[in-house]
Amino acid sequence: MAELNRTGLYDLHVELGAKMVPFAGYDMPVQYPLGVMKEHLHCRAAAGLFDVSHMGQVILRPKSSDLADAALALETLVPVSVLGLKEGRQRYAFFTNDEGGILDDLMVANRGEHLFLVVNAACKAADIAHLKKHLSDTCDITEITDRALLALQGPQAEAVLADLAPGVAEMRFMDVAVLSSDFGDLWVSRSGYTGEDGFEISVANANAERFARALLVHDAVEPIGLGARDSLRLEAGLCLYGNDIDTATSPVEAALTWGIQKVRRTGGERAGGFPGAERILDELDNGTRRLRVGLRPEGRAPMRAGTQLFASEDAAQAIGEVTSGAFGPSIEGPMSMGYVTSEHAATGTTIYGEVRGKRLPATIAALPFRPSTYKR
Amino acid sequence: MKFTEEHEWLRVEDDVVVVGISEHAAEQLGDVVFVELPEEGTEVTKDEEVVVIESVKAASDILAPVDGEIVEVNEALVNNPALVNEDAQGDAWFFKMKVADMADLDEFMDEAAYKDFIA
């Protein structure tokens, strides 16, 4: 097996007693001594600190010095309005392929002179190659490797971070800013992947551990591992790339149509012009055979990824499959996400998941399972 | 108290054997969120799956340590699976069984041997 990469916070994780596991080529903390359940609940009650330095940070700089050129170039790879993204703002996007599948999901921020992208760890090499292959004529594409990325999430996140960088208090959900601090310039976005208000902070590797310690000094802050990160994002109804979305799922099937602005749809000023546009625009107008939905199993047994879904207790043919499933500590019950044929996708529909040979009832539920608390 | 290599503990109580999982096993599983118990009166054979445990991490099961009959199950675990993490070797027993041959228990480890086994 190839040697695992380490983030700049590896030694700190070990010192904090983390259990380390391989994840996307990195040796990452899956949980700390608090344990997955308490870490999850702590993040929702106070604040949780996550090391997400394994994710890719990429700068897209227009060769013309006109940011619109970079925005329009990126629009050839994503069905998202990048040109419409104002300076100091961030939005969710996804790279599509020619078949209309999803290559990766990402965040795009307009930082005035350039675009700043955050992509998934497992996809970052392919994403950067993809950007370089298609956008090199118009943009300089630089992977940022000398900065760590931390997420501070939860109701106390603002109060804690404001101690170190007061400017964060003025930011709204999906704002981005560069704030100076005792830890050098912090590239801050008011966002995250837990459904909580919170921040993602890019900090120079040289200052990352000192910065993390300064946050952990607060009683409100506990370090949170990948285990709780997964149950937090699932309660928030957010997709995990590789599980809930991949090259075989289109953004319309994945119920990510909210991420495709009107201007890129049929009849819009910049309609189409991204890979797989034919399929995706057709699906936006005419629907899809299957859809991503939330599922609340009855009882306490979780329906995990791979669970086959059926319309009735005795139907022979499956109508879909679970792609993520776990116990939701905050909703105090099992929750799943998966794909079902569109005629069974209406909220409130009862379907059945086959768990250990038994068909157990579950109800199609609206996502998120727990209302998000973003500061809009 | 005796221990199996499957990290179960067994305690003889009059003519029945009480079965649970070790503190070590509970710690490895992580927070338990779901427990499915067998029906009382079920005849089981050694190594048959009798209990399903789901933790925040994964599903696993408890095997029947010996041949016998399930005579009582701990319903408290169904409503409060977290009890497994709180008191694995006490209140969080899973089932009691009438054992066909008590001599079958002789092969299992005592606590000292089990501690060496997991060390």
Side-chain angles (χ1 to χ4, degrees), chain B residues 13-80:
Chain B
E13 234 172 50
D14 301 326
D15 61 339
V16 297
V17 174
V18 189
V19 180
I21 64 168
S22 71
E23 276 166 13
H24 171 75
E27 199 183 307
Q28 294 297 311
L29 277 174
D31 304 299
V32 175
V33 296
F34 170 74
V35 170
E36 188 178 272
L37 298 166
E39 279 183 32
E40 289 171 4
T42 311
E43 296 277 349
V44 296
T45 52
K46 182 177 163 68
D47 292 341
E48 189 181 328
E49 291 172 15
V50 285
V51 173
V52 175
I53 306 176
E54 295 249 13
S55 76
V56 286
K57 292 177 199 162
S60 52
D61 36 51
I62 298 183
L63 309 178
V66 290
D67 296 350
E69 182 194 343
I70 306 291
V71 292
E72 194 180 339
V73 296
N74 188 358
E75 294 287 352
L77 297 182
V78 174
N79 296 321
N80 183 18

Side-chain angles (χ1 to χ4, degrees), chain A residues 103-236:
Chain A
L103 290 169
D104 194 10
D105 61 343
L106 67 149
M107 286 293 182
V108 183
N110 177 341
R111 296 190 24 187
E113 292 177 353
H114 61 257
L115 299 172
F116 179 59
L117 279 50
V118 176
V119 302
N120 281 305
C123 303
K124 68 181 172 185
D127 289 344
I128 290 164
H130 185 62
L131 287 165
K132 285 189 170 162
K133 181 177 169 192
H134 295 282
L135 307 187
S136 282
D137 287 348
T138 47
C139 300
D140 290 316
I141 296 128
T142 316
E143 182 184 3
I144 306 299
T145 54
D146 59 354
R147 297 182 75 87
L149 191 65
L150 280 69
L152 186 69
Q153 303 277 295
Q156 298 287 314
E158 180 190 290
V160 169
L161 189 57
D163 255 11
L164 306 178
V168 298
E170 277 101 70
M171 297 173 73
R172 290 180 303 132
F173 182 58
M174 289 293 203
D175 277 352
V176 296
V178 175
L179 302 172
S180 54
S181 75
D182 293 345
F183 311 91
D185 279 352
L186 304 177
W187 303 353
V188 181
S189 73
R190 191 156 199 160
S191 63
Y193 222 60
T194 59
E196 292 295 322
D197 178 30
F199 302 87
E200 290 194 345
I201 310 122
S202 172
V203 54
N205 270 333
N207 301 323
E209 187 180 318
R210 200 164 53 87
F211 177 61
R213 286 183 193 278
L215 295 171
L216 288 166
V217 152
H218 290 259
D219 287 340
V221 182
E222 287 286 344
I224 312 291
L226 292 173
R229 182 170 167 80
D230 194 53
S231 53
L232 287 160
R233 69 94 194 161
L234 186 51
E235 273 185 352

Side-chain angles (χ1 to χ4, degrees), chain A residues 4-156:
Chain A
L4 290 173
N5 293 308
R6 291 177 175 182
T7 74
L9 297 180
Y10 176 87
D11 290 342
L12 179 61
H13 298 315
V14 172
E15 182 188 314
L16 292 169
K19 186 176 166 202
M20 306 297 287
V21 298
F23 181 83
Y26 283 78
D27 207 1
M28 297 298 288
V30 66
Q31 66 172 82
Y32 296 86
L34 204 54
V36 175
M37 188 90 87
K38 290 196 179 105
E39 288 172 28
H40 177 117
L41 294 170
H42 183 90
C43 181
R44 296 249 187 264
L49 180 65
F50 305 73
D51 180 10
V52 288
S53 304
H54 57 313
M55 297 182 81
Q57 304 179 59
V58 183
I59 282 181
L60 212 62
R61 198 179 294 275
K63 290 187 169 164
S64 65
S65 299
D66 182 355
L67 190 73
D69 292 334
L72 288 169
L74 186 57
E75 285 194 0
T76 65
L77 301 181
V78 299
V80 170
S81 172
V82 184
L83 194 64
L85 185 62
K86 292 190 175 72
E87 184 172 346
R89 295 288 291 163
Q90 171 179 280
R91 83 177 19 150
Y92 181 67
F94 23 87
F95 293 120
T96 50
N97 65 17
D98 290 337
E99 291 73 47
I102 302 173
L103 290 169
D104 194 10
D105 61 343
L106 67 149
M107 286 293 182
V108 183
N110 177 341
R111 296 190 24 187
E113 292 177 353
H114 61 257
L115 299 172
F116 179 59
L117 279 50
V118 176
V119 302
N120 281 305
C123 303
K124 68 181 172 185
D127 289 344
I128 290 164
H130 185 62
L131 287 165
K132 285 189 170 162
K133 181 177 169 192
H134 295 282
L135 307 187
S136 282
D137 287 348
T138 47
C139 300
D140 290 316
I141 296 128
T142 316
E143 182 184 3
I144 306 299
T145 54
D146 59 354
R147 297 182 75 87
L149 191 65
L150 280 69
L152 186 69
Q153 303 277 295
Q156 298 287 314

Side-chain angles (χ1 to χ4, degrees), chain A residues 346-371:
Chain A
T347 298
T349 307
T350 298
I351 61 168
Y352 295 81
E354 196 163 285
V355 180
R356 292 178 282 271
K358 274 185 240 163
R359 299 261 173 106
L360 304 176
T363 307
I364 305 285
L367 294 172
F369 295 107
R370 179 184 176 279

